[in-house]
Amino acid sequence: MKNRPDYTLITATADMHTATHGNRAKCLQRLVRLGLPVPLTAALSFDAVRQIAQGVVPDLAPLWAEFGPHALVSVRSSSQAADWGGPGTVLNIGMNDELAEHLAKVHGRSAADQLYVNFIRAYAVDVLRLDADEFEGPLTPRIAKEHFEDEAEEAFPQDPAVQLREVLRSMARAWEGTTARLLRQAQGAPADAGLGLVVQRMALGVGEGVSGSGIVQMIDPDTGDADVIGRFVPQAQGRVALRDDDALYIRSDARGHSLQDAAPEAYHDLIAAGALMREKLREEMQIEFTLMNGQLNILDAVRAPRSARAAVATVVNLANDGVISRGEALSRIPPFSLGQLLHRQVDAEAPRDVLGRGIAAAPGAATGKIVFSSTAAQALAAQGEATILVKRETSSEDVRGMHAAQAVLTERGGMTSHAAVIARGLGLPCVTGASSLQLDMRKKTLTTAGRRVFHEGDVITVDGSSGDILVGAAKMIEPAVGGAFATLIQWADEIRDIGIRVNADTVEDVETAQQFGVDGIGLCRTEHMFFDPNRLTLMREMIFAETESDRAAALDRLLPMQRGDFTELFKRMQGKPVCIRLFDPPLHEFLPSDRDGIRALAEALDLPVSRVAARIESLQEYNPMLGMRGVRLGITVPEIYDMQARAIFEATIAASEGKNPVVPEIMIPLVSAKREVELVKSRVDAVAAAVAAQNGKSFTYRLGVMVETPRAALRAGEIAESSSFLSFGTNDLTQMTYGLSRDDAGRFMSAYVQQGVFVEDPFTRLDTEGVGELLLIGAERGRAVRPEVTLSICGEHGGDPDSIRFSRIAGFDYVSCSPFRVPLAKLSAAQWVLEDETLPAKR
Ligand code: PEP
Ligand code: MG
């Protein structure tokens, strides 16, 4: 083995690491160690490539000499993580007049000419960035060299070392380009990520016998099922050739001639290589190979491309076959990728009104209101609205807007454009390259090829599985989440050490969450039960009641409805804890704000419009989120909480069965003082005693506090005296800690994150330093007074991996998140356990 500081030959014993030479170089070394037929390859380290980018190119003659006479080489990129990308492969370096003559003698003139033209074209266009149009169409080497000379104003270089130097320099510089940098940073690469390069002797793929190139993988990329999938093109080179119409299937196939028929021995060797890699590299690989007169050469192997669904199936299969552990299977799945398995699909049977089509860039479908900016997506998301982010193309500034949207639609771009890459990472449906649509970003309109015009706020559906964009809300099919997915989640359940509950207000939410299994309901926002049209009228009557008895009458009619709601939830949850939050929002949210609505309400209540308008006016507040809401309403209009408590206790009796008594949890929102809790507690206790006496039944319940104000966190000690549990409502707590409106922050959040004021939107990722400190103080003071107090997070952060980690380290009992976040939360909770096991120092 000859090693020089500038390059390292990839041998079984060479000093080769992913962190210094990149994943491709390391993988090739593994293939060499397995005894697979890999052509001679040398690797350039990150440092060497960095120097080349800065213009310090080493003497390449010794490297070239390694490959011997008449060699052609390829150069491939080798970044630290495969998904950080890298410049494309360049083949046939070393091709010149002399070698062309030699190859013509061995393989025939036409093969030699083809290789030569291919290289001149690649060298001109990809390396020197000359105009591609000049090298289009059929060319002879002589004409190609003439075009080259015209464009480059120099002769086509004949010295292989010069060719190699220029290739290396161009690839090293491409890595430093802004687009490449943005794309890899979107994949989590650090700003200073390095690029390695591998230089490999070409196995030509042209010549006598069965010669050609191909790729193969042993799993179906959509399902992950075992299969032999790939293509082989005779007398061809590189991946590009695989798009050729003459490509053969790999395995004997009714659809046509196959590699298995043409070269059974090579086929056998390929299958054996795939099995060996699976076992020893512990991964399903995609193999790039060349046959030279029937002889197999393995040029490269990468992780086999796969959908999120196939990724889950693959790790579960590998673990079931004992190739990897269950822990490793769990660790290999990025939590956010689960979104792709969970997303809904448009019902293919239902009628569809297609307004345009594009590239199906990320699977799943979603409906929402059109927005033309990330700011608008964030602003509407803060109000709980579903949006579709529509842009010409996206950039890194849009990532937070994409987080806030339900789907992304871009006029430009393709499968690997920024929008596509990010959307897949986030599990968002995405359609790119919808070029028949005209966007007018100023007027905020989207015009179809048929001249239909859509405006911001119009509802559309993006089908990222088919590429269709549909008018309105399309009929959807719920995702299937059984099989390998269910197995993986079950393994996560076995490992995780923090509870995962769901934020669920409706039976539908509970049904969704129960597909994944949950430890309970962590937050039932009861006000959502009052927006039903029938109930809304009763709510309004209650708000407009002038006397206590009028109010009591309205509440009496709401009581059975609430009792029904809670009974249903308790029954569905089958004894698992259900935490019901007492009424939280300001009352005026239930009242109409426009003239038509006020007139309709006046009619319904049989009151003059002026009286209704005046009453609405009197309920208006300057800062409603800091005003008469939550426990403040509970104390000033106590009948509402009385009614809810009664409904909860009566439902408790109705849903309890012999040995399985329901133990409801009642949570008081927006507390800031101990006395608030005492006042509510004494009334709730009184209602409980009354319900028990009236029904001749006993039951227990737990009363707790939602810690959403900084003061509640600071005074958690005394608050815990009357509270069985403290659940941190991190949405409001973030709002109040920062003094930052959760409904308005979207307007400037991008600017703030971009300029590094906030590392991330604190409403998405828990601010572990500030809000986190309040959580820790609250937990410590609460526990000091009541050691057994149950602690949890129930804001949106409950479904965020980093916040789950924080909660786990802080010793919280559970996190509660929205239904579709439950699998992600479980997986990430399990991953933190595994990470702590392997990296104890981190804890
Ligand atoms: C919270 O404030 O964190 C919370 C969960 O309650 P809501 O979002 O309903 O205000
Ligand atoms: Mg809140």
Side-chain angles (χ1 to χ4, degrees), residues 503 523 525 527-528 581 584 625 629 667 669-670 706-708 728-734 742 793-797:
N503 292 352
L523 173 63
R525 293 172 163 109
E527 59 273 13
H528 292 177
R581 176 176 77 184
D584 182 47
M625 291 305 276
R629 55 169 282 219
M667 180 152 76
L670 216 77
M706 192 162 182
V707 180
E708 301 180 276
F728 293 91
T730 47
N731 302 334
D732 273 310
L733 191 57
T734 300
R742 55 194 271 204
I793 283 185
C794 65
E796 287 310 305
H797 305 92

Side-chain angles (χ1 to χ4, degrees), residues 5 223 278 376 380 409 459 486 518 589 757 760 771 807 815 843:
T223 62
R278 182 181 200 262
L380 283 184
L409 166 62
V459 173
V518 277
E589 281 192 12
V757 184
E760 246 305 338
V771 179
S807 307
V815 295
R843 203 139 181 210

Side-chain angles (χ1 to χ4, degrees), residues 451-629:
R451 311 303 304 162
R452 289 163 86 180
V453 180
F454 294 82
H455 298 90
E456 193 154 68
D458 288 348
V459 173
I460 58 170
T461 297
V462 166
D463 182 347
S465 304
S466 71
D468 286 355
I469 305 129
L470 311 172
V471 180
K475 186 160 178 249
M476 301 277 190
I477 300 178
E478 297 307 316
V481 287
F485 174 85
T487 306
L488 192 79
I489 297 304
Q490 187 195 324
W491 292 348
D493 282 337
E494 286 163 14
I495 287 187
R496 68 185 165 92
D497 56 5
I498 186 165
I500 309 288
R501 293 202 196 177
V502 64
N503 292 352
D505 313 324
T506 61
V507 169
E508 291 80 55
D509 289 343
V510 170
E511 280 172 355
T512 301
Q514 281 181 328
Q515 296 176 73
F516 318 126
V518 277
D519 300 328
I521 293 179
L523 173 63
C524 170
R525 293 172 163 109
T526 48
E527 59 273 13
H528 292 177
M529 298 165 162
F530 295 111
F531 283 107
D532 175 275
N534 292 332
R535 300 182 184 194
L536 196 55
T537 311
L538 281 174
M539 250 335 247
R540 288 171 171 172
E541 274 181 34
M542 191 273 290
I543 295 167
F544 275 80
E546 304 220 319
T547 63
E548 270 186 30
S549 64
D550 283 353
R551 173 164 297 142
L555 285 166
D556 275 352
R557 289 169 62 201
L558 283 168
L559 173 70
M561 299 174 181
Q562 282 263 275
R563 183 171 57 222
D565 295 333
F566 297 140
T567 307
E568 188 67 20
L569 285 186
F570 291 148
K571 285 192 170 158
R572 297 259 176 169
M573 291 306 292
Q574 299 175 341
K576 289 194 173 148
V578 176
C579 182
I580 296 166
R581 176 176 77 184
L582 297 173
F583 193 85
D584 182 47
L587 286 180
H588 75 80
E589 281 192 12
F590 292 86
L591 299 177
S593 54
D594 58 355
R595 285 198 68 76
D596 288 350
I598 293 171
R599 196 171 301 123
L601 180 57
E603 271 169 26
L605 297 174
D606 197 18
L607 287 172
V609 169
S610 58
R611 274 260 299 280
V612 172
R615 182 88 175 103
I616 292 173
E617 177 73 26
S618 74
L619 284 169
Q620 296 298 331
E621 295 173 294
Y622 286 106
N623 277 317
M625 291 305 276
L626 299 177
M628 234 324 232
R629 55 169 282 219

